[in-house]
Amino acid sequence: MPPSSPPPIDFSQLWALSPEILLTLWGLVLLLVDVGPLRGRPGSSRRKTVGSLALIGPIGVFALLLAPLVAGPGAGGGDPDPTLVYGTIAGDPLATSFNGVIALLLAMVIGMSMAWDFTEHWGAYFALLLWAAVGMMVLVAAEELLILFLALELMTICLYLAAAFEKDKRRSAEAGMKYFVYGSVASALFLFGLSLLYGLTGTTFLDGIRRVLVESAAATGEAGGLSGDLVGATAVLLILVGFGFKLAAVPFHQWAPDTYEGAPAPVSAWIASGSKLASLVALMKVLLHALAPWAGAVGGEAGGGWVLIVAAIAAATMTYGNLAALAQRNLKRMLAYSSIAHAGYMLVGVLAAMVTVRSGSSAAEAAGAVLFYLVIYSLTTVGAFAAAAWLARGLGRDDIDDLDGLGVRSPGLAVCLAILMLSLIGLPPTAGFVSKLAMFLEVLNADASARSTLLLLVALALVNSVISAFYYARVLRALFLRRSDRSPGPAPRGVSWPIVLAALAAVGFGLEPAPLVDSMRSAASAMLTITLPPSPPDLPAPAPVAAIPVSGGMAMQK
Amino acid sequence: MATLLVVTVLLPLLGGLALLLAPKLDHKAARWVALATTLATLAFSLVLVGAFQVGDASAQFAFEGADGHAGLPWVAVGSGPGIRFALGLDGVALSLFALTSLLLVTSVFCSWSSITERAPTYYALLLFLETGLLGLFASLDVVLFYIFFEFTLIPLFFLVGLYGGPERRRASITFFLYTLAGSLLTLLGVIALIVVHYRFSTPQVLTFSIPELTEGLSRITSADWAFTRPLADSFSLSQFLLQPQVFIFLLLFAGFAIKVPLFPFHTWLPLAHVEAPTAGSVLLAGVLLKVGGYGFLRFNLAMTPMGTAVLAPMLVAISVIGIIYGALTALAQTDVKRLVAYSSVSHMGFIALGLFSMTLVSVDGAVLQMINHGLTTGALFACVGVLYERYHTREMDRMGGIWKRLPLFAFFLILASMGSAAVPGLNGFVGEFPILAGSFSRFPRATVVAAIGIILGAYYLFLMLQKVIFGPLREPGGEGHGHGHDDSAGVPPVQWYEIAGLAPLLALIVIIGLYPKPFYDRITPSVESIVARFPAEGAGMSTEPNQTVSAPGEDSPRALLARSAQVTAP
């Protein structure tokens, strides 16, 4: 970076970061409350008090997000440049809407956490949940590689710790340890990939990287793609390792089943929903925006690119996830494999968004379909994990068989859980079906050369949906078709409202998907069109000049 | 009328939700609510039948949106009309629509006394199923069709799984997964159809409307789509299978063939039919199987006619195998319900034969036969339910001479069996005869074999009648239950609700048998519009691409069909 004198930070921009700031501070407050006023109180009473206090965090985020609507237009928006803090963080509709989604998921996770006593350190636990949410929010908004990496680490480190929080269970410690070891290796590789990318392009801004790549492609006259570009390919592969770990995509998924099974149910839910959601958005930003010139062609001999790699990962991920889920008896472990499988479906959507031939205002619809899928998946998965929390509270274990007979004992919640399972299968009239259909229909708009490959992937995804029906149906069978004399008892409020809310969302957005689809489309279009301001001299702008000698060096290596 | 159609489709859903929200209702109140809802739905659908314009082949009662497309916009996809909530009925759909609303009344009566536990949920599930089925037949949008198509699975899963017989868990899971597996392939086929239409149509329109897709696909002149080579002319099997029309046909076929079910895909059927509660069996056999036939007609035949034409010999062979296999298996059963279930495999084979022979006469007959089979098999399953409620067994070897105990019931069972066995003067005959007559012009040998199926059908049905109805009175008195054989005086006579459930079906069996014209009048124009897109006879064998699709208007459909349907000795 040239040591120019940057303009002082415009503090009015901090308004756009208020959700993150609020949650950070509120986490500190929770810590202090737990060790201060509540010191010496028994665990369960602190759980209730700190948990209720923690709920104020996401509620405050909602209030902050709704404030501009109440205050009328112009209070927060109106700025033509949606980036903040020297263009490193976006304050676009994507960030705003996903802040809302993350806050909602956080509230559900906090609710589940209040169901039973699995730890003594409630202040630290809830603070970690909140700070993980901060990481996710920044990750979704990141427009620069370093911010992206820092946000990713903030999120994951909080989750490493939270996964190991059930200290009297060895599985929980194992979960945290495995997550940590795999995660730190993946992070190191990811960082290495980012450094290569910086070396190649001379900038860490996503839009700057895109510009440099477009320019160098134009200079060499080659079509997009990575063929012959060894360093570029290495960078892409390493970046995919990092994201693959976060998404639990095959072959970087090995940590997921053990971690999901061992960690307390709310933490597993948080890893499966929030962490996956934020990482996939970041992945889409990096791949679809910054590295789009390296996408390469799907068909034909001309230039391979990351599209082919992602296609292979997607196919392997969904197939392996579904087949492995078939053999599971534990609810959380089954959901872990199911979340692996869903990551595969979403990668198919990412591919479709890359090769789409849509242009103009509808260009982002394919990416919007993926975001829609992502939101629906996250909500339903958190709801399903709430069932695991319920079992863990009542029975101390969470096998699928422990759900036996709940259809008779708590018919309302059982119906809601059934709706969640149907939505995860992708059966109409639930939102799972609409989101799958919207994503897979994007094949229609795929590039002609990529269409057959994509159709193949979609066919594979549908076959996989059939396979997935087998293990989700096992939950249905346990709920309604079996009887049992052991019961987890009535569900506590913290468990029941996330389940009901998720089921309502699954049915509501299944019958009337238009509002969410539209907002996701506008979020996606904001995500894909974000550009740096046309580099005024006083901005620490990327130095595109630096790229030319580097890519020249590349050419010599070839 | 468009509003009335929507109301008719959604009314059972509302009734079901009302029942779900009042789970404290006892079974007596619940069944009255269910009966009122189904009767109102039936009344509305009869109004629709009355208002239907005979002779018009297009979908009627469709709501015309402000932008010129049918229905209300639902999910916008791209710049086209998008996925729409579009309902409408043509002749074929109308018949099945009315059949559904009638059979639902019967199935409420079938459950009148047998369902006492968790009755509100049960009736709610029945009503949800009704909405699914009505919506499915009325959908004018492929996605809407698919949504209703899949939605029917959910209530049926619970109906079989919660209220069924001893093997209900296995039956419901098998049924659920089997059907789901097929229908997802169908979804892929539907997506492929939309892609093909989008890619080749000029100007490019992304449409999900069934009529628009049917029309647009038939107008595509690109040789890739319109010209399909039969197996004999292909270099290899894979080249044959990878032709767009053949491939998409097979994808669509997967789901519908399992629903029908055609011969190798029928294994879920006996289990599900036998384990389902009576009302479930009535609906499964009466309507759910028709969904497969309806799908064949609406998608496979109408949208991939060339694929159907080149695959027809194999499809006809499968159908005929199904006819004979189903009949022989039915012959070997001792359980009445299993017998009726296998007879469905056989009869649905006739329907498939009629559809895949691709002549106007046979397709017409097949559509009418769908109605007929719904009526006769629905009545047969209802009769079995009557029997089971009294004796708690369905073993034919343990009963006999029921005529003496329940004469009215015996009359019902004999009439329904004769209708099913295609005795002339009853409805089975007017359905199966055109099927055989039409098929004979195309596939004479297969038709001759299929005709044996009718004989076998009469054989197993009359054998069943002989064992159950005639002979000396032999009642399963519950040996070992402490009841003596004289205790059979406790067998109640046929109740009013059983009569109310069966009588309309039996009346229709006779009416259709004696005077099928009003039914054909409504079915034929819609069938004609589909048959008009079929390649002319022999065109599938030709290598001239331009002969494949008859341009609309060039050759009057009626003339074309009259020719291909002539029954001439080969």
Side-chain angles (χ1 to χ4, degrees), chain B residues 383-460:
Chain B
C383 286
V384 174
V386 170
L387 210 54
Y388 183 74
E389 248 172 67
R390 282 165 180 71
Y391 299 121
H392 299 284
T393 181
R394 298 183 299 247
E395 284 300 316
M396 284 192 281
D397 298 339
R398 297 182 54 200
M399 52 180 92
I402 302 294
W403 179 285
K404 299 193 177 65
R405 177 71 61 199
L406 304 163
L408 190 58
F409 165 77
F411 168 70
F412 286 161
L413 184 61
I414 293 171
L415 191 60
S417 305
M418 295 210 296
S420 183
V423 171
L426 295 178
N427 66 348
F429 180 74
V430 295
E432 285 184 4
F433 183 73
I435 292 178
L436 293 177
S439 313
F440 190 75
S441 63
R442 282 259 170 113
F443 300 102
R445 269 171 294 184
T447 311
V448 169
V449 180
I452 299 174
I454 294 195
I455 303 170
L456 287 173
Y459 188 20
Y460 61 74

Side-chain angles (χ1 to χ4, degrees), chain B residues 67-128:
Chain B
D67 48 357
H69 296 280
L72 300 167
W74 188 25
V75 183
V77 181
S79 51
I83 300 167
R84 307 174 75 86
F85 189 80
L87 298 180
L89 292 170
D90 70 354
V92 177
L94 178 86
S95 321
L96 291 166
F97 191 86
L99 173 73
T100 308
S101 48
L102 175 64
L103 279 180
L104 249 299
V105 177
T106 302
S107 48
V108 171
F109 280 127
C110 286
S111 328
W112 201 254
S113 61
S114 57
I115 300 295
T116 50
E117 272 181 46
R118 283 181 289 166
T121 322
Y122 173 85
Y123 288 111
L125 289 170
L126 270 187
L127 293 175
F128 289 155

Side-chain angles (χ1 to χ4, degrees), chain B residues 76 106 182 297 335 404 446 520 539 566:
Chain B
T106 302
L297 189 67
D335 180 319
K404 299 193 177 65
Y520 274 127
Q566 269 166 6

Side-chain angles (χ1 to χ4, degrees), chain A residues 407-542:
Chain A
V408 181
R409 292 208 179 83
S410 336
L413 281 181
V415 166
C416 288
L417 276 178
I419 291 173
L420 294 180
M421 290 301 137
L422 295 176
S423 181
L424 285 170
I425 301 176
L427 220 60
T430 59
F433 169 74
V434 183
S435 58
K436 257 193 188 125
L437 184 76
M439 203 164 75
F440 293 160
L441 268 182
E442 289 302 328
V443 185
L444 289 174
N445 302 303
D447 202 299
S449 64
R451 198 180 281 129
S452 55
T453 312
L454 260 188
L455 253 180
L456 212 62
L457 278 176
V458 167
L460 186 64
L462 287 177
V463 171
N464 268 304
S465 303
V466 177
I467 301 175
S468 77
F470 282 78
Y471 57 85
Y472 293 124
R474 213 175 272 158
V475 176
L476 294 186
R477 185 174 56 184
L479 284 173
F480 293 102
L481 306 187
R482 294 230 201 94
R483 298 282 173 273
S484 161
D485 44 358
R486 295 182 315 126
S487 154
R493 213 181 316 143
V495 162
S496 53
W497 74 258
I499 297 180
V500 172
L501 185 74
L504 280 181
V507 174
F509 289 125
L511 295 176
E512 187 52 46
L516 188 61
V517 168
D518 289 343
S519 68
M520 285 302 126
R521 277 179 186 160
S522 62
S525 103
M527 170 175 81
L528 294 183
T529 53
I530 205 154
T531 44
L532 288 177
S535 62
D538 57 349
L539 238 155

Side-chain angles (χ1 to χ4, degrees), chain A residues 208-240:
Chain A
I209 292 171
R210 178 194 176 86
R211 278 191 222 166
V212 172
L213 293 183
V214 169
E215 277 169 24
S216 70
T220 54
E222 283 176 28
L226 278 167
S227 57
D229 190 347
L230 193 61
V231 181
T234 313
V236 166
L237 275 179
L238 291 173
I239 289 172
L240 281 177

Side-chain angles (χ1 to χ4, degrees), chain B residues 267-447:
Chain B
T267 45
W268 64 271
L269 179 135
L271 191 61
H273 278 53
V274 172
E275 295 307 323
T278 304
S281 310
V282 168
L283 290 177
L284 262 175
V287 192
L288 258 292
L289 304 190
K290 308 306 169 299
V291 171
Y294 180 75
F296 277 149
L297 189 67
R298 200 46 97 220
F299 290 91
N300 289 46
L301 267 65
M303 297 192 191
T304 59
M306 291 304 304
T308 320
V310 296
L311 285 166
M314 287 149 260
L315 299 168
V316 165
I318 292 181
S319 313
V320 172
I321 294 174
I323 292 173
I324 301 297
Y325 171 86
L328 288 177
T329 322
L331 206 49
Q333 302 304 319
T334 54
D335 180 319
V336 192
K337 208 171 180 183
R338 289 189 83 87
L339 183 142
V340 180
Y342 276 108
S343 85
S344 285
V345 177
S346 178
H347 283 118
M348 290 311 288
F350 276 105
I351 292 169
L353 172 71
L355 290 174
F356 294 132
S357 295
M358 303 179 81
T359 64
L360 175 64
V361 174
S362 69
V363 176
D364 232 7
V367 174
L368 188 68
Q369 185 59 17
M370 286 201 241
I371 315 289
N372 292 337
H373 180 253
L375 295 170
T376 51
T377 311
L380 281 176
F381 272 121
C383 286
V384 174
V386 170
L387 210 54
Y388 183 74
E389 248 172 67
R390 282 165 180 71
Y391 299 121
H392 299 284
T393 181
R394 298 183 299 247
E395 284 300 316
M396 284 192 281
D397 298 339
R398 297 182 54 200
M399 52 180 92
I402 302 294
W403 179 285
K404 299 193 177 65
R405 177 71 61 199
L406 304 163
L408 190 58
F409 165 77
F411 168 70
F412 286 161
L413 184 61
I414 293 171
L415 191 60
S417 305
M418 295 210 296
S420 183
V423 171
L426 295 178
N427 66 348
F429 180 74
V430 295
E432 285 184 4
F433 183 73
I435 292 178
L436 293 177
S439 313
F440 190 75
S441 63
R442 282 259 170 113
F443 300 102
R445 269 171 294 184
T447 311

Side-chain angles (χ1 to χ4, degrees), chain A residues 104-129:
Chain A
L104 181 61
L105 295 173
L106 174 65
M108 291 164 84
V109 168
I110 291 175
M112 282 157 62
S113 309
M114 287 161 68
W116 84 110
D117 282 308
F118 51 83
T119 178
E120 282 288 305
H121 310 281
W122 289 105
Y125 172 79
F126 284 114
L128 284 174
L129 290 188

